[in-house]
Amino acid sequence: MTMRLYNDLADLWPIVSPPAEYMAEAAEWLDIIRSRLDLAAGRRQRPTLLELGCGGGHLLSHLTAHFTAEAVDISERMLALSQRLNPDTRHHPGDMRTVRLGRKFDVVAIHDAVNYMLTAEDLRAAITTAAVHLNTGGVAVLAPDWLRESFSGPRVIDWTRQDAGLDVTFIEYVAQAEPGVATLESVFIFIINQDGQVKVELDRHTGGLFPRALWLDLMADAGLDAEYIQTQGYEGGFGGNLFVGVRRASRG
Ligand SMILES: C[S@@+](CC[C@H](N)C(=O)[O-])C[C@H]1O[C@@H](n2cnc3c(N)ncnc32)[C@H](O)[C@@H]1O
């Protein structure tokens, strides 16, 4: 199923979720990364960062001053938005489960795009991608919106933002598909008011819902010393989950 928000509705992303709203989260990430990143002795250049599933590059836009960054996304439309916002960042089309850039980075981040891993095998593949792109001592940061233990639903969240001559109200409904099932179903409703002409657009997304222990186990399997950190989160109970892993030296 095509996710309209990342395709024909992509231009709504900077309106409903503007880059400025990611500043506090990026500052929190920087503190966490800096306290764990172990750059090889004697290295003087800026640390490098790869974001998988960069979306519009909104979080990334607050990190590019601190890292030499590259970014991957599966959607050409989202890559184009991020490229415009982050012109000095190299962008690559790719799937976080399979992409291999053939280079290693000091930090690999997967922000809320990791929500789109729907099975434990998808999640393992994305975590493996993060790990194989990390230097020894490098840091992986993964930020799912929800964990199995803490999700209770259905939930509804809404807000209105104005930009580009549009007044856009966004309503998200999210619920577990069935009790015990490892996926969440979201319905997005966009109410777009342009000079009193009101249009409504609908979109549906499916996301993964995994227990904390699975995240930590998959990260350990990928050679990461992993920990869970509870962070600020967004309104409505979204976010606030960070899995951070430091790449161990490979054995043998
Ligand atoms: C909510 S957006 C990310 C927004 C981003 N955090 C920002 O700051 O703008 C989620 C992104 O995940 C991307 N995505 C979904 N599945 C993916 C996959 N398998 N590989 C790479 N990107 C993926 C979508 O194309 C979309 O751009």
Side-chain angles (χ1 to χ4, degrees):
M1 181 174 52
T2 305
M3 292 183 277
R4 296 190 64 201
L5 180 55
Y6 310 134
N7 291 283
D8 65 302
L9 301 179
D11 289 339
L12 294 177
W13 180 248
I15 302 176
V16 296
S17 192
E21 296 182 6
Y22 292 75
M23 202 176 340
E25 190 176 9
E28 202 171 19
W29 281 39
L30 266 178
D31 283 346
I32 290 170
I33 291 167
R34 283 186 175 135
S35 64
R36 287 160 179 80
L37 182 60
D38 179 12
L39 288 178
R43 265 195 53 189
R44 288 184 160 269
Q45 69 262 47
R46 266 152 61 96
T48 53
L49 176 143
L50 171 65
E51 184 174 5
L52 302 170
C54 63
H58 297 189
L59 180 83
L60 185 63
S61 68
H62 301 284
L63 298 174
T64 50
H66 308 277
F67 300 95
T68 300
E70 299 195 30
V72 166
D73 201 279
I74 205 166
S75 154
E76 295 284 352
R77 291 287 302 269
M78 298 304 277
L79 277 175
L81 287 175
S82 180
Q83 182 75 72
R84 198 164 67 202
L85 185 62
N86 302 296
D88 296 329
T89 298
R90 275 181 72 188
H91 287 75
H92 312 267
D95 185 321
M96 67 175 79
R97 292 166 295 185
T98 52
V99 70
R100 296 292 181 267
L101 298 181
R103 270 167 296 115
K104 293 186 189 285
F105 297 80
D106 297 314
V107 179
V108 178
I110 318 182
H111 188 226
D112 48 359
V114 81
N115 293 327
Y116 294 106
M117 297 299 101
L118 303 186
T119 64
E121 281 319 299
D122 278 353
L123 187 59
R124 180 188 292 281
I127 289 171
T128 301
T129 302
V132 303
H133 287 93
L134 270 181
N135 289 319
T136 299
V139 178
V141 185
L142 311 166
D145 275 339
W146 302 107
L147 295 180
R148 174 78 69 84
E149 291 84 351
S150 48
F151 181 79
S152 63
R155 297 202 178 208
V156 180
I157 184 171
D158 70 274
W159 65 82
T160 301
R161 298 281 184 274
Q162 286 87 21
D163 197 8
L166 302 177
D167 192 300
V168 183
T169 296
F170 174 75
I171 304 171
E172 177 172 357
Y173 163 93
V174 58
Q176 212 163 344
E178 292 167 38
V181 166
T183 49
L184 289 174
E185 296 299 329
S186 297
V187 178
F188 296 170
I189 304 168
F190 300 90
I191 302 167
I192 304 159
N193 186 332
Q194 183 168 25
D195 304 323
Q197 303 274 35
V198 177
K199 262 195 332 188
V200 178
E201 303 285 4
L202 269 185
D203 195 11
R204 298 185 69 142
H205 294 202
T206 305
L209 185 65
F210 305 107
R212 186 185 312 178
L214 179 73
W215 287 85
L216 294 171
D217 286 350
L218 294 178
M219 291 175 78
D221 288 352
L224 302 169
D225 286 330
E227 63 184 311
Y228 170 74
I229 302 174
Q230 188 151 24
T231 57
Q232 192 65 41
Y234 310 113
E235 57 185 291
F238 286 70
N241 303 301
L242 266 197
F243 289 94
V244 179
V246 177
R247 182 85 167 102
R248 291 190 293 265
S250 44
R251 285 183 223 109

